Amino acid sequence: MLILRRTDVTDVLSGRETEIIDLVADTYRLHDAGRTALPHSVFLRFPEEHHSRDRIIGLPAYRGGERPAAGMKWISSFPGNVAAGTERASAAVLLNSLATGHPVALVEGAVISAKRTAASAALAAAELTAARPATSVLLIGCGVINLEILRFLAAALPDLREAALYDTDPVRADAFAARCAEEVPGVKAHPVSDLPAALGAHRLVSLATTAATPHLDLAACGPDTTVLHVSLRDLTAEAILGAVNVVDDADHVCRERTSLDLAQQAAGNRDFIAAPIGALLRGTAVLRREPHRPVVYSPFGLGVLDVALAEFVREEAGRRGLGVRVDDFLPA
């Protein structure tokens, strides 16, 4: 068993945004072509009131193709951690041998989860704004995920020059601006306090919050807006139904009271979903933008992305001699 720590994962993945985006794109194509296995995620919730916002999710997955991989992502989300000064999410990915089924690697998964999420968002931003690439972005939610999204957007959108930052905590937004300036210096980041004005000023919006229920519509958005709805529960059902919607997988994203699940319940169908991202990448579907209707990308966050990226890390770590090997984890 190879154990790869956070430092090992960070060492392998730092500065490889373009490669990670390409890996995510390839995995989406395989998924759309039916070359993955992706059972529904398992949500572990708790009966106590003080744990009402907490959850742990299990995501088993298999990716076929030239670099097959199988495993399980186990990720927790405890929003109260943020106020305590620790990260909301923590995760691990267990990889299995496709020859024997034996577990072969345990990989720290929070870095993988953040980077595959950001790569998915940046890939969609580039694909959905290809006719008119964005030069600025509004980031709503000043946390780990939107920092990674900004980093990956800078790699995917060469003309990106500005990032407006909004958070319900202005102090947090100020601190986030300083961190963005340090880690993504090519993009000028600045806090904003007027959210409706900011929504109208930027054609690209990234939503990465800890919201558990919808709190936002898109009435203030200008024409030709693309929304990366990464946290999945920010937008009202009415906003979803009024948008042109792209998803990673309709069966996965229309569950667990996401905004799309609520829209499905209101509409009685999923006709509001225009296309999956994999079909757009493969060219088997074409997205037609409509005047005055925003395009909303809502990725569930497929576990197959984590497994694919974890396998990438495992292979590279093996070449570099990284990690801790436990030879007697399984019986001989």
Side-chain angles (χ1 to χ4, degrees), residues 205-287:
V205 178
S206 175
L207 281 159
T209 76
T210 59
T213 56
H215 60 95
L216 184 67
D217 62 34
L218 299 176
C221 290
D224 198 29
T225 298
T226 299
V227 179
L228 309 173
H229 185 211
V230 175
S231 38
L232 291 181
R233 292 172 175 82
D234 299 274
L235 298 179
T236 64
E238 292 76 16
I240 294 293
L241 294 173
V244 177
N245 291 280
V246 177
V247 300
D248 52 3
D249 186 293
D251 286 339
H252 286 263
V253 80
C254 291
R255 298 178 67 225
E256 295 291 331
R257 298 193 65 78
T258 64
S259 296
L260 282 83
D261 186 14
L262 299 179
Q264 172 185 243
Q265 294 176 36
N269 56 57
R270 298 178 183 173
D271 294 347
F272 56 89
I273 296 177
I277 187 70
L280 296 178
L281 294 171
R282 292 178 67 214
T284 56
V286 176
L287 187 72

Side-chain angles (χ1 to χ4, degrees), residues 44-61:
L44 177 63
R45 303 186 188 275
F46 309 96
E48 293 84 4
E49 179 62 29
H50 66 280
H51 275 307
S52 61
R53 297 177 65 202
D54 302 334
R55 63 184 186 271
I56 308 177
I57 310 172
L59 299 90

Side-chain angles (χ1 to χ4, degrees), residues 264-311:
Q264 172 185 243
Q265 294 176 36
N269 56 57
R270 298 178 183 173
D271 294 347
F272 56 89
I273 296 177
I277 187 70
L280 296 178
L281 294 171
R282 292 178 67 214
T284 56
V286 176
L287 187 72
R288 292 177 174 81
R289 301 192 75 115
E290 300 179 24
H292 309 298
R293 290 186 70 194
V295 171
V296 174
Y297 176 58
S298 299
F300 179 77
L302 302 178
V304 70
L305 302 181
D306 300 271
V307 168
L309 188 53
E311 176 63 17

